[in-house]
PDB file of all heavy atoms in Angstrom:
ATOM      1  N   LEU A  20      98.267  88.413 217.423  1.00 98.00           N
ATOM      2  CA  LEU A  20      97.044  87.650 217.673  1.00 98.00           C
ATOM      3  C   LEU A  20      97.045  86.351 216.885  1.00 98.00           C
ATOM      4  O   LEU A  20      96.404  85.383 217.269  1.00 98.00           O
ATOM      5  CB  LEU A  20      95.815  88.485 217.289  1.00 98.00           C
ATOM      6  CG  LEU A  20      95.397  89.567 218.286  1.00 98.00           C
ATOM      7  CD1 LEU A  20      94.551  90.635 217.599  1.00 98.00           C
ATOM      8  CD2 LEU A  20      94.607  88.951 219.438  1.00 98.00           C
ATOM      9  N   GLU A  21      97.733  86.353 215.762  1.00 96.00           N
ATOM     10  CA  GLU A  21      97.875  85.172 214.911  1.00 96.00           C
ATOM     11  C   GLU A  21      99.365  84.999 214.608  1.00 96.00           C
ATOM     12  O   GLU A  21     100.135  85.960 214.702  1.00 96.00           O
ATOM     13  CB  GLU A  21      97.093  85.353 213.601  1.00 96.00           C
ATOM     14  CG  GLU A  21      95.628  85.731 213.781  1.00 96.00           C
ATOM     15  CD  GLU A  21      94.777  84.620 214.359  1.00 96.00           C
ATOM     16  OE1 GLU A  21      95.235  83.458 214.329  1.00 96.00           O
ATOM     17  OE2 GLU A  21      93.658  84.910 214.828  1.00 96.00           O
ATOM     18  N   PRO A  22      99.805  83.796 214.250  1.00 92.00           N
ATOM     19  CA  PRO A  22     101.229  83.583 213.959  1.00 92.00           C
ATOM     20  C   PRO A  22     101.714  84.505 212.836  1.00 92.00           C
ATOM     21  O   PRO A  22     101.112  84.525 211.760  1.00 92.00           O
ATOM     22  CB  PRO A  22     101.282  82.114 213.529  1.00 92.00           C
ATOM     23  CG  PRO A  22     100.077  81.492 214.141  1.00 92.00           C
ATOM     24  CD  PRO A  22      99.020  82.551 214.141  1.00 92.00           C
ATOM     25  N   PRO A  23     102.778  85.280 213.069  1.00 91.00           N
ATOM     26  CA  PRO A  23     103.315  86.153 212.008  1.00 91.00           C
ATOM     27  C   PRO A  23     104.012  85.341 210.932  1.00 91.00           C
ATOM     28  O   PRO A  23     104.448  84.208 211.166  1.00 91.00           O
ATOM     29  CB  PRO A  23     104.308  87.046 212.756  1.00 91.00           C
ATOM     30  CG  PRO A  23     104.721  86.245 213.944  1.00 91.00           C
ATOM     31  CD  PRO A  23     103.524  85.427 214.333  1.00 91.00           C
ATOM     32  N   ARG A  24     104.149  85.939 209.749  1.00 88.00           N
ATOM     33  CA  ARG A  24     104.803  85.240 208.640  1.00 88.00           C
ATOM     34  C   ARG A  24     106.309  85.429 208.674  1.00 88.00           C
ATOM     35  O   ARG A  24     107.054  84.591 208.200  1.00 88.00           O
ATOM     36  CB  ARG A  24     104.235  85.749 207.307  1.00 88.00           C
ATOM     37  CG  ARG A  24     102.768  85.384 207.090  1.00 88.00           C
ATOM     38  CD  ARG A  24     102.256  85.921 205.769  1.00 88.00           C
ATOM     39  NE  ARG A  24     100.813  85.729 205.642  1.00 88.00           N
ATOM     40  CZ  ARG A  24     100.085  86.295 204.697  1.00 88.00           C
ATOM     41  NH1 ARG A  24     100.650  87.084 203.795  1.00 88.00           N
ATOM     42  NH2 ARG A  24      98.780  86.094 204.646  1.00 88.00           N
ATOM     43  N   ARG A  25     106.754  86.572 209.195  1.00 92.00           N
ATOM     44  CA  ARG A  25     108.191  86.844 209.289  1.00 92.00           C
ATOM     45  C   ARG A  25     108.413  87.869 210.372  1.00 92.00           C
ATOM     46  O   ARG A  25     107.500  88.610 210.747  1.00 92.00           O
ATOM     47  CB  ARG A  25     108.749  87.347 207.956  1.00 92.00           C
ATOM     48  CG  ARG A  25     108.160  88.667 207.476  1.00 92.00           C
ATOM     49  CD  ARG A  25     108.625  88.998 206.073  1.00 92.00           C
ATOM     50  NE  ARG A  25     108.019  90.226 205.564  1.00 92.00           N
ATOM     51  CZ  ARG A  25     108.551  91.436 205.666  1.00 92.00           C
ATOM     52  NH1 ARG A  25     109.729  91.585 206.274  1.00 92.00           N
ATOM     53  NH2 ARG A  25     107.960  92.494 205.160  1.00 92.00           N
ATOM     54  N   LYS A  26     109.606  87.928 210.909  1.00 95.00           N
ATOM     55  CA  LYS A  26     109.921  88.847 211.989  1.00 95.00           C
ATOM     56  C   LYS A  26     110.090  90.264 211.437  1.00 95.00           C
ATOM     57  O   LYS A  26     110.804  90.490 210.467  1.00 95.00           O
ATOM     58  CB  LYS A  26     111.193  88.419 212.719  1.00 95.00           C
ATOM     59  CG  LYS A  26     111.525  89.276 213.938  1.00 95.00           C
ATOM     60  CD  LYS A  26     112.731  88.715 214.657  1.00 95.00           C
ATOM     61  CE  LYS A  26     113.162  89.598 215.822  1.00 95.00           C
ATOM     62  NZ  LYS A  26     112.105  89.768 216.823  1.00 95.00           N
ATOM     63  N   LEU A  27     109.414  91.211 212.078  1.00 97.00           N
ATOM     64  CA  LEU A  27     109.503  92.616 211.703  1.00 97.00           C
ATOM     65  C   LEU A  27     110.162  93.397 212.830  1.00 97.00           C
ATOM     66  O   LEU A  27     110.225  92.924 213.971  1.00 97.00           O
ATOM     67  CB  LEU A  27     108.107  93.183 211.414  1.00 97.00           C
ATOM     68  CG  LEU A  27     107.317  92.465 210.310  1.00 97.00           C
ATOM     69  CD1 LEU A  27     105.902  93.019 210.219  1.00 97.00           C
ATOM     70  CD2 LEU A  27     108.016  92.602 208.968  1.00 97.00           C
ATOM     71  N   GLU A  28     110.625  94.586 212.528  1.00 96.00           N
ATOM     72  CA  GLU A  28     111.293  95.419 213.519  1.00 96.00           C
ATOM     73  C   GLU A  28     110.605  96.774 213.627  1.00 96.00           C
ATOM     74  O   GLU A  28     110.048  97.282 212.655  1.00 96.00           O
ATOM     75  CB  GLU A  28     112.770  95.628 213.141  1.00 96.00           C
ATOM     76  CG  GLU A  28     113.591  94.347 213.006  1.00 96.00           C
ATOM     77  CD  GLU A  28     113.789  93.623 214.325  1.00 96.00           C
ATOM     78  OE1 GLU A  28     113.664  94.285 215.383  1.00 96.00           O
ATOM     79  OE2 GLU A  28     114.076  92.407 214.310  1.00 96.00           O
ATOM     80  N   GLY A  29     110.685  97.380 214.810  1.00 97.00           N
ATOM     81  CA  GLY A  29     110.131  98.710 215.022  1.00 97.00           C
ATOM     82  C   GLY A  29     110.042  99.004 216.498  1.00 97.00           C
ATOM     83  O   GLY A  29     110.209  98.098 217.337  1.00 97.00           O
ATOM     84  N   PRO A  30     109.781 100.268 216.880  1.00 98.00           N
ATOM     85  CA  PRO A  30     109.604 100.594 218.292  1.00 98.00           C
ATOM     86  C   PRO A  30     108.513  99.735 218.940  1.00 98.00           C
ATOM     87  O   PRO A  30     108.640  99.292 220.080  1.00 98.00           O
ATOM     88  CB  PRO A  30     109.195 102.074 218.252  1.00 98.00           C
ATOM     89  CG  PRO A  30     109.803 102.594 216.998  1.00 98.00           C
ATOM     90  CD  PRO A  30     109.706 101.458 216.021  1.00 98.00           C
ATOM     91  N   LEU A  31     107.426  99.495 218.168  1.00 98.00           N
ATOM     92  CA  LEU A  31     106.361  98.580 218.578  1.00 98.00           C
ATOM     93  C   LEU A  31     105.949  97.799 217.347  1.00 98.00           C
ATOM     94  O   LEU A  31     105.679  98.377 216.300  1.00 98.00           O
ATOM     95  CB  LEU A  31     105.163  99.352 219.135  1.00 98.00           C
ATOM     96  CG  LEU A  31     103.909  98.509 219.445  1.00 98.00           C
ATOM     97  CD1 LEU A  31     104.174  97.520 220.583  1.00 98.00           C
ATOM     98  CD2 LEU A  31     102.723  99.413 219.791  1.00 98.00           C
ATOM     99  N   VAL A  32     105.907  96.475 217.469  1.00 98.00           N
ATOM    100  CA  VAL A  32     105.443  95.633 216.368  1.00 98.00           C
ATOM    101  C   VAL A  32     104.184  94.910 216.815  1.00 98.00           C
ATOM    102  O   VAL A  32     104.202  94.148 217.785  1.00 98.00           O
ATOM    103  CB  VAL A  32     106.512  94.608 215.938  1.00 98.00           C
ATOM    104  CG1 VAL A  32     105.949  93.686 214.854  1.00 98.00           C
ATOM    105  CG2 VAL A  32     107.763  95.317 215.439  1.00 98.00           C
ATOM    106  N   PHE A  33     103.072  95.194 216.132  1.00 98.00           N
ATOM    107  CA  PHE A  33     101.824  94.466 216.355  1.00 98.00           C
ATOM    108  C   PHE A  33     101.442  93.879 215.004  1.00 98.00           C
ATOM    109  O   PHE A  33     101.026  94.588 214.106  1.00 98.00           O
ATOM    110  CB  PHE A  33     100.724  95.398 216.873  1.00 98.00           C
ATOM    111  CG  PHE A  33      99.614  94.670 217.597  1.00 98.00           C
ATOM    112  CD1 PHE A  33      99.288  94.993 218.906  1.00 98.00           C
ATOM    113  CD2 PHE A  33      98.895  93.647 216.983  1.00 98.00           C
ATOM    114  CE1 PHE A  33      98.286  94.317 219.589  1.00 98.00           C
ATOM    115  CE2 PHE A  33      97.892  92.967 217.644  1.00 98.00           C
ATOM    116  CZ  PHE A  33      97.588  93.314 218.952  1.00 98.00           C
ATOM    117  N   TYR A  34     101.643  92.576 214.872  1.00 98.00           N
ATOM    118  CA  TYR A  34     101.444  91.918 213.582  1.00 98.00           C
ATOM    119  C   TYR A  34      99.971  91.939 213.186  1.00 98.00           C
ATOM    120  O   TYR A  34      99.086  91.643 213.994  1.00 98.00           O
ATOM    121  CB  TYR A  34     101.945  90.472 213.650  1.00 98.00           C
ATOM    122  CG  TYR A  34     103.442  90.368 213.790  1.00 98.00           C
ATOM    123  CD1 TYR A  34     104.040  90.282 215.053  1.00 98.00           C
ATOM    124  CD2 TYR A  34     104.270  90.380 212.669  1.00 98.00           C
ATOM    125  CE1 TYR A  34     105.417  90.193 215.190  1.00 98.00           C
ATOM    126  CE2 TYR A  34     105.653  90.289 212.792  1.00 98.00           C
ATOM    127  CZ  TYR A  34     106.217  90.203 214.052  1.00 98.00           C
ATOM    128  OH  TYR A  34     107.585  90.133 214.187  1.00 98.00           O
ATOM    129  N   ASP A  35      99.742  92.314 211.941  1.00 97.00           N
ATOM    130  CA  ASP A  35      98.385  92.326 211.412  1.00 97.00           C
ATOM    131  C   ASP A  35      97.868  90.886 211.355  1.00 97.00           C
ATOM    132  O   ASP A  35      98.459  90.046 210.673  1.00 97.00           O
ATOM    133  CB  ASP A  35      98.389  92.944 210.012  1.00 97.00           C
ATOM    134  CG  ASP A  35      96.989  93.276 209.499  1.00 97.00           C
ATOM    135  OD1 ASP A  35      96.019  92.644 209.973  1.00 97.00           O
ATOM    136  OD2 ASP A  35      96.882  94.158 208.633  1.00 97.00           O
ATOM    137  N   PRO A  36      96.774  90.569 212.045  1.00 97.00           N
ATOM    138  CA  PRO A  36      96.300  89.186 212.053  1.00 97.00           C
ATOM    139  C   PRO A  36      95.809  88.698 210.698  1.00 97.00           C
ATOM    140  O   PRO A  36      95.705  87.480 210.476  1.00 97.00           O
ATOM    141  CB  PRO A  36      95.153  89.205 213.078  1.00 97.00           C
ATOM    142  CG  PRO A  36      94.719  90.628 213.128  1.00 97.00           C
ATOM    143  CD  PRO A  36      95.954  91.440 212.901  1.00 97.00           C
ATOM    144  N   VAL A  37      95.513  89.609 209.779  1.00 96.00           N
ATOM    145  CA  VAL A  37      95.078  89.166 208.451  1.00 96.00           C
ATOM    146  C   VAL A  37      96.213  89.220 207.437  1.00 96.00           C
ATOM    147  O   VAL A  37      96.050  88.791 206.295  1.00 96.00           O
ATOM    148  CB  VAL A  37      93.875  90.000 207.938  1.00 96.00           C
ATOM    149  CG1 VAL A  37      92.753  89.999 208.949  1.00 96.00           C
ATOM    150  CG2 VAL A  37      94.289  91.413 207.566  1.00 96.00           C
ATOM    151  N   ASP A  38      97.374  89.737 207.837  1.00 94.00           N
ATOM    152  CA  ASP A  38      98.536  89.811 206.950  1.00 94.00           C
ATOM    153  C   ASP A  38      99.795  89.863 207.807  1.00 94.00           C
ATOM    154  O   ASP A  38     100.234  90.935 208.220  1.00 94.00           O
ATOM    155  CB  ASP A  38      98.443  91.051 206.057  1.00 94.00           C
ATOM    156  CG  ASP A  38      99.594  91.158 205.061  1.00 94.00           C
ATOM    157  OD1 ASP A  38     100.511  90.301 205.118  1.00 94.00           O
ATOM    158  OD2 ASP A  38      99.598  92.083 204.242  1.00 94.00           O
ATOM    159  N   GLY A  39     100.357  88.683 208.077  1.00 91.00           N
ATOM    160  CA  GLY A  39     101.491  88.576 208.985  1.00 91.00           C
ATOM    161  C   GLY A  39     102.767  89.227 208.503  1.00 91.00           C
ATOM    162  O   GLY A  39     103.770  89.240 209.215  1.00 91.00           O
ATOM    163  N   ASN A  40     102.748  89.801 207.285  1.00 92.00           N
ATOM    164  CA  ASN A  40     103.905  90.542 206.777  1.00 92.00           C
ATOM    165  C   ASN A  40     103.820  92.030 207.099  1.00 92.00           C
ATOM    166  O   ASN A  40     104.687  92.798 206.686  1.00 92.00           O
ATOM    167  CB  ASN A  40     104.011  90.378 205.251  1.00 92.00           C
ATOM    168  CG  ASN A  40     104.421  88.971 204.865  1.00 92.00           C
ATOM    169  OD1 ASN A  40     105.332  88.408 205.454  1.00 92.00           O
ATOM    170  ND2 ASN A  40     103.746  88.406 203.878  1.00 92.00           N
ATOM    171  N   ARG A  41     102.786  92.446 207.824  1.00 95.00           N
ATOM    172  CA  ARG A  41     102.542  93.871 208.039  1.00 95.00           C
ATOM    173  C   ARG A  41     102.509  94.197 209.527  1.00 95.00           C
ATOM    174  O   ARG A  41     101.919  93.468 210.322  1.00 95.00           O
ATOM    175  CB  ARG A  41     101.213  94.284 207.408  1.00 95.00           C
ATOM    176  CG  ARG A  41     100.797  95.733 207.670  1.00 95.00           C
ATOM    177  CD  ARG A  41      99.534  96.071 206.898  1.00 95.00           C
ATOM    178  NE  ARG A  41      99.128  97.447 207.157  1.00 95.00           N
ATOM    179  CZ  ARG A  41      98.176  97.790 208.028  1.00 95.00           C
ATOM    180  NH1 ARG A  41      97.532  96.858 208.706  1.00 95.00           N
ATOM    181  NH2 ARG A  41      97.872  99.062 208.209  1.00 95.00           N
ATOM    182  N   ASN A  42     103.139  95.305 209.881  1.00 97.00           N
ATOM    183  CA  ASN A  42     103.119  95.812 211.248  1.00 97.00           C
ATOM    184  C   ASN A  42     102.059  96.899 211.356  1.00 97.00           C
ATOM    185  O   ASN A  42     102.216  97.997 210.804  1.00 97.00           O
ATOM    186  CB  ASN A  42     104.498  96.367 211.624  1.00 97.00           C
ATOM    187  CG  ASN A  42     104.518  96.980 213.017  1.00 97.00           C
ATOM    188  OD1 ASN A  42     103.621  96.737 213.828  1.00 97.00           O
ATOM    189  ND2 ASN A  42     105.537  97.767 213.301  1.00 97.00           N
ATOM    190  N   VAL A  43     100.972  96.630 212.068  1.00 98.00           N
ATOM    191  CA  VAL A  43      99.896  97.606 212.220  1.00 98.00           C
ATOM    192  C   VAL A  43     100.390  98.843 212.985  1.00 98.00           C
ATOM    193  O   VAL A  43      99.868  99.937 212.813  1.00 98.00           O
ATOM    194  CB  VAL A  43      98.696  96.975 212.962  1.00 98.00           C
ATOM    195  CG1 VAL A  43      97.550  97.964 213.094  1.00 98.00           C
ATOM    196  CG2 VAL A  43      98.220  95.722 212.233  1.00 98.00           C
ATOM    197  N   ALA A  44     101.428  98.648 213.806  1.00 98.00           N
ATOM    198  CA  ALA A  44     101.950  99.737 214.635  1.00 98.00           C
ATOM    199  C   ALA A  44     103.161 100.422 214.003  1.00 98.00           C
ATOM    200  O   ALA A  44     103.923 101.099 214.694  1.00 98.00           O
ATOM    201  CB  ALA A  44     102.326  99.195 216.013  1.00 98.00           C
ATOM    202  N   SER A  45     103.327 100.291 212.699  1.00 97.00           N
ATOM    203  CA  SER A  45     104.523 100.853 212.056  1.00 97.00           C
ATOM    204  C   SER A  45     104.603 102.368 212.187  1.00 97.00           C
ATOM    205  O   SER A  45     105.694 102.943 212.129  1.00 97.00           O
ATOM    206  CB  SER A  45     104.556 100.461 210.578  1.00 97.00           C
ATOM    207  OG  SER A  45     103.412 100.958 209.892  1.00 97.00           O
ATOM    208  N   ALA A  46     103.457 103.037 212.365  1.00 97.00           N
ATOM    209  CA  ALA A  46     103.461 104.500 212.483  1.00 97.00           C
ATOM    210  C   ALA A  46     103.845 104.974 213.882  1.00 97.00           C
ATOM    211  O   ALA A  46     104.174 106.146 214.070  1.00 97.00           O
ATOM    212  CB  ALA A  46     102.082 105.057 212.119  1.00 97.00           C
ATOM    213  N   VAL A  47     103.796 104.076 214.873  1.00 98.00           N
ATOM    214  CA  VAL A  47     104.016 104.485 216.266  1.00 98.00           C
ATOM    215  C   VAL A  47     105.480 104.837 216.507  1.00 98.00           C
ATOM    216  O   VAL A  47     106.370 103.988 216.387  1.00 98.00           O
ATOM    217  CB  VAL A  47     103.568 103.379 217.242  1.00 98.00           C
ATOM    218  CG1 VAL A  47     103.837 103.808 218.690  1.00 98.00           C
ATOM    219  CG2 VAL A  47     102.083 103.053 217.054  1.00 98.00           C
ATOM    220  N   HIS A  48     105.728 106.088 216.842  1.00 98.00           N
ATOM    221  CA  HIS A  48     107.084 106.549 217.149  1.00 98.00           C
ATOM    222  C   HIS A  48     107.450 106.135 218.574  1.00 98.00           C
ATOM    223  O   HIS A  48     106.576 105.970 219.432  1.00 98.00           O
ATOM    224  CB  HIS A  48     107.149 108.070 217.008  1.00 98.00           C
ATOM    225  CG  HIS A  48     108.523 108.649 217.089  1.00 98.00           C
ATOM    226  ND1 HIS A  48     109.091 109.029 218.283  1.00 98.00           N
ATOM    227  CD2 HIS A  48     109.448 108.912 216.128  1.00 98.00           C
ATOM    228  CE1 HIS A  48     110.308 109.507 218.046  1.00 98.00           C
ATOM    229  NE2 HIS A  48     110.553 109.443 216.756  1.00 98.00           N
ATOM    230  N   VAL A  49     108.726 105.973 218.834  1.00 98.00           N
ATOM    231  CA  VAL A  49     109.167 105.552 220.165  1.00 98.00           C
ATOM    232  C   VAL A  49     108.723 106.542 221.233  1.00 98.00           C
ATOM    233  O   VAL A  49     108.387 106.148 222.363  1.00 98.00           O
ATOM    234  CB  VAL A  49     110.700 105.339 220.187  1.00 98.00           C
ATOM    235  CG1 VAL A  49     111.444 106.654 219.939  1.00 98.00           C
ATOM    236  CG2 VAL A  49     111.135 104.698 221.497  1.00 98.00           C
ATOM    237  N   ASP A  50     108.659 107.831 220.911  1.00 98.00           N
ATOM    238  CA  ASP A  50     108.194 108.828 221.882  1.00 98.00           C
ATOM    239  C   ASP A  50     106.716 108.644 222.204  1.00 98.00           C
ATOM    240  O   ASP A  50     106.290 108.804 223.357  1.00 98.00           O
ATOM    241  CB  ASP A  50     108.429 110.247 221.358  1.00 98.00           C
ATOM    242  CG  ASP A  50     109.907 110.586 221.253  1.00 98.00           C
ATOM    243  OD1 ASP A  50     110.730 109.841 221.829  1.00 98.00           O
ATOM    244  OD2 ASP A  50     110.243 111.584 220.589  1.00 98.00           O
ATOM    245  N   THR A  51     105.912 108.335 221.175  1.00 98.00           N
ATOM    246  CA  THR A  51     104.487 108.115 221.395  1.00 98.00           C
ATOM    247  C   THR A  51     104.250 106.841 222.190  1.00 98.00           C
ATOM    248  O   THR A  51     103.366 106.788 223.058  1.00 98.00           O
ATOM    249  CB  THR A  51     103.753 108.028 220.047  1.00 98.00           C
ATOM    250  OG1 THR A  51     104.230 109.048 219.169  1.00 98.00           O
ATOM    251  CG2 THR A  51     102.251 108.211 220.243  1.00 98.00           C
ATOM    252  N   LEU A  52     105.032 105.824 221.904  1.00 98.00           N
ATOM    253  CA  LEU A  52     104.960 104.587 222.676  1.00 98.00           C
ATOM    254  C   LEU A  52     105.261 104.861 224.140  1.00 98.00           C
ATOM    255  O   LEU A  52     104.528 104.415 225.033  1.00 98.00           O
ATOM    256  CB  LEU A  52     105.947 103.558 222.107  1.00 98.00           C
ATOM    257  CG  LEU A  52     106.147 102.280 222.922  1.00 98.00           C
ATOM    258  CD1 LEU A  52     104.858 101.486 223.004  1.00 98.00           C
ATOM    259  CD2 LEU A  52     107.263 101.430 222.302  1.00 98.00           C
ATOM    260  N   ALA A  53     106.330 105.610 224.404  1.00 98.00           N
ATOM    261  CA  ALA A  53     106.709 105.925 225.785  1.00 98.00           C
ATOM    262  C   ALA A  53     105.619 106.728 226.483  1.00 98.00           C
ATOM    263  O   ALA A  53     105.332 106.517 227.668  1.00 98.00           O
ATOM    264  CB  ALA A  53     108.024 106.698 225.799  1.00 98.00           C
ATOM    265  N   ARG A  54     104.994 107.650 225.751  1.00 98.00           N
ATOM    266  CA  ARG A  54     103.921 108.459 226.340  1.00 98.00           C
ATOM    267  C   ARG A  54     102.744 107.591 226.758  1.00 98.00           C
ATOM    268  O   ARG A  54     102.172 107.763 227.835  1.00 98.00           O
ATOM    269  CB  ARG A  54     103.462 109.524 225.335  1.00 98.00           C
ATOM    270  CG  ARG A  54     102.446 110.506 225.910  1.00 98.00           C
ATOM    271  CD  ARG A  54     101.843 111.390 224.836  1.00 98.00           C
ATOM    272  NE  ARG A  54     102.873 111.914 223.935  1.00 98.00           N
ATOM    273  CZ  ARG A  54     102.630 112.341 222.713  1.00 98.00           C
ATOM    274  NH1 ARG A  54     101.399 112.284 222.227  1.00 98.00           N
ATOM    275  NH2 ARG A  54     103.605 112.816 221.962  1.00 98.00           N
ATOM    276  N   PHE A  55     102.387 106.625 225.885  1.00 98.00           N
ATOM    277  CA  PHE A  55     101.280 105.739 226.204  1.00 98.00           C
ATOM    278  C   PHE A  55     101.591 104.858 227.407  1.00 98.00           C
ATOM    279  O   PHE A  55     100.756 104.677 228.299  1.00 98.00           O
ATOM    280  CB  PHE A  55     100.929 104.875 224.990  1.00 98.00           C
ATOM    281  CG  PHE A  55      99.942 103.781 225.293  1.00 98.00           C
ATOM    282  CD1 PHE A  55      98.690 104.069 225.806  1.00 98.00           C
ATOM    283  CD2 PHE A  55     100.274 102.445 225.086  1.00 98.00           C
ATOM    284  CE1 PHE A  55      97.777 103.058 226.096  1.00 98.00           C
ATOM    285  CE2 PHE A  55      99.379 101.432 225.361  1.00 98.00           C
ATOM    286  CZ  PHE A  55      98.127 101.742 225.875  1.00 98.00           C
ATOM    287  N   VAL A  56     102.800 104.309 227.456  1.00 98.00           N
ATOM    288  CA  VAL A  56     103.185 103.460 228.583  1.00 98.00           C
ATOM    289  C   VAL A  56     103.152 104.259 229.887  1.00 98.00           C
ATOM    290  O   VAL A  56     102.601 103.806 230.901  1.00 98.00           O
ATOM    291  CB  VAL A  56     104.584 102.860 228.350  1.00 98.00           C
ATOM    292  CG1 VAL A  56     105.098 102.178 229.619  1.00 98.00           C
ATOM    293  CG2 VAL A  56     104.551 101.857 227.190  1.00 98.00           C
TER     294      VAL A  56
END
């Protein structure tokens, strides 16, 4: 939603708009992501 501070990696990366160094979706497992999709 806001410019990230650095590139992060993960099954899903949703940059925290108040802290671009943090992935709000860091807990999301690839299986859970696939289930939601």
